[in-house]
Amino acid sequence: MKHSLVVEKFEEFLKGESLKLTPQRRRILDRVYATHDHFSADTLYAWLREEEGPQVSRATVYRTLEVLSRGGFVAGLDTGDGGMVYEHVLGHEHHDHLVCMSCGRIDEFQDHEIEELQLKAAAAKGFTLVSHVLRLSGFCGPCQEKRESQGKESETK
Amino acid sequence: MKHSLVVEKFEEFLKGESLKLTPQRRRILDRVYATHDHFSADTLYAWLREEEGPQVSRATVYRTLEVLSRGGFVAGLDTGDGGMVYEHVLGHEHHDHLVCMSCGRIDEFQDHEIEELQLKAAAAKGFTLVSHVLRLSGFCGPCQEKRESQGKESETK
DNA sequence: TTATTTGCAAACCTTTTGCAAGTGA
DNA sequence: TCACTTGCAAAAGGTTTGCAAATAA
């Protein structure tokens, strides 16, 4: 999706909520859409400090992430170890996550069948499904290999 | 599962890890298995203060939850809003969760098919699957009804 | 003009940690 | 006996908030 379209939608959203388009909000939106990675609030804050542009405080980063999240521009996902990371979502198909327990790498996958089964499961319990989180944790290929070769000796208790 | 068996397994586990069975650990184990609900560390701490028995500090609650979790006696799940709740798991089949976004009620369901698809999805990405979190969020029957009847008027902005 | 936003620093909340005293095995 | 535990209080880590000054509309 073209970034100008994202910006347009953001402006619309802000208008609808009686919020203002400030340089800070605009810069955060741009930065969030400039990466394809998952990032924490703190990482985003670090990017904004290092790079050129309107200064943004930590508080504003958090406040804006909340706005972006509410507007469906970003989605947060907890990494399973207490952390929270975000990703931009406009123009991306829904997907779920695979998290490597060793290196922290986050991969993505889609499975339409699982989605359908979720709907069925929710309906069976009388729930109206709004969203879901599916996070698979394990070891990515490289980390698993390391474990298999190095794991032997350290496994002895 | 009989609680005496749980205790027995706990003793075994502690022995295997060169850990000691203290009154605090025993009391926490008992309390955790006395409820069928999900609870936060703080809730558990509150229960222990209110009820009779060996006193347990907050630090010990956290430390013991870690031990219980490592031993497979409890499992933690994040509620999606930054919180963390636990449940005892010994003698219970694996299940996933449905969380009501309105009243906070947590329901459970099982779906063997979804589990299999997860394994496949992980394998397809080269991951060795260790665990997963599947949390469906939505509105439970009663809350959804309320929304449908009351929602109309408040929807006007 | 004025309601909204920002930055700052302090407050918050939950969880973790260092340490000295206590205690299961 | 002695390695492991506990309680305490302080620290940590991430996020939120009150307030006065700044600003988009």
Side-chain angles (χ1 to χ4, degrees), chain B residues 4 15-16 29 31 50 60 67 80 83 103 106 124 130 142 144 150-151 157:
Chain B
S4 57
K15 203 158 293 174
L29 179 76
R31 192 60 187 80
E50 288 164 12
T60 296
V67 171
C103 67
I106 300 180
V130 174
Q144 177 61 21
Q150 303 176 351
K157 281 234 186 64

Side-chain angles (χ1 to χ4, degrees), chain B residues 20-21 41 58-59 62-63:
Chain B
K20 294 170 180 173
L21 178 58
R58 198 185 290 276
Y62 280 101
R63 286 191 277 232

Side-chain angles (χ1 to χ4, degrees), chain B residues 1-155:
Chain B
M1 183 180 281
K2 271 178 65 183
H3 190 57
S4 57
L5 221 179
V6 173
V7 174
E8 208 174 290
K9 282 184 178 286
F10 187 47
E11 289 174 343
E12 262 174 47
F13 172 73
L14 292 177
K15 203 158 293 174
E17 299 263 303
S18 307
L19 300 177
K20 294 170 180 173
L21 178 58
T22 63
Q24 287 82 357
R25 284 181 178 155
R26 179 58 204 277
R27 184 164 179 221
I28 290 174
L29 179 76
D30 290 349
R31 192 60 187 80
V32 161
Y33 273 80
T35 184
H36 286 206
D37 278 331
H38 299 83
F39 55 88
S40 66
D42 200 58
T43 300
L44 173 57
Y45 177 60
W47 286 341
L48 297 171
R49 314 214 88 190
E50 288 164 12
E51 301 163 10
E52 301 269 296
Q55 273 319 295
V56 180
S57 70
R58 198 185 290 276
T60 296
V61 167
Y62 280 101
R63 286 191 277 232
T64 303
L65 280 174
E66 193 279 323
V67 171
L68 290 174
S69 178
R70 191 146 43 79
F73 296 87
V74 307
L77 65 133
D78 36 45
T79 54
D81 61 346
M84 179 75 144
V85 294
Y86 300 85
E87 64 186 352
H88 63 250
V89 293
L90 226 55
H92 291 256
E93 294 219 42
H94 167 75
H95 56 256
D96 293 305
H97 296 91
L98 276 157
V99 183
C100 177
M101 295 164 71
S102 177
C103 67
R105 186 179 131 204
I106 300 180
D107 210 329
E108 305 173 346
F109 71 95
Q110 289 179 279
D111 194 315
H112 189 57
E113 245 184 294
I114 291 180
E115 310 280 315
E116 278 184 6
L117 290 168
Q118 286 174 2
L119 273 175
K120 279 189 201 162
K125 289 285 182 176
F127 271 68
T128 304
L129 191 55
V130 174
S131 67
H132 73 262
V133 172
L134 173 54
R135 183 183 58 237
L136 305 186
S137 298
F139 298 98
C140 67
C143 287
Q144 177 61 21
E145 276 178 36
K146 272 182 221 150
R147 286 170 55 80
E148 277 166 7
S149 58
Q150 303 176 351
K152 306 296 180 191
E153 60 253 42
S154 64
E155 249 169 34

Side-chain angles (χ1 to χ4, degrees), chain A residues 20-23 41 58-59 62-63 84:
Chain A
K20 295 171 180 172
L21 179 57
T22 63
R58 197 185 291 277
Y62 280 102
R63 286 191 277 232
M84 179 74 146

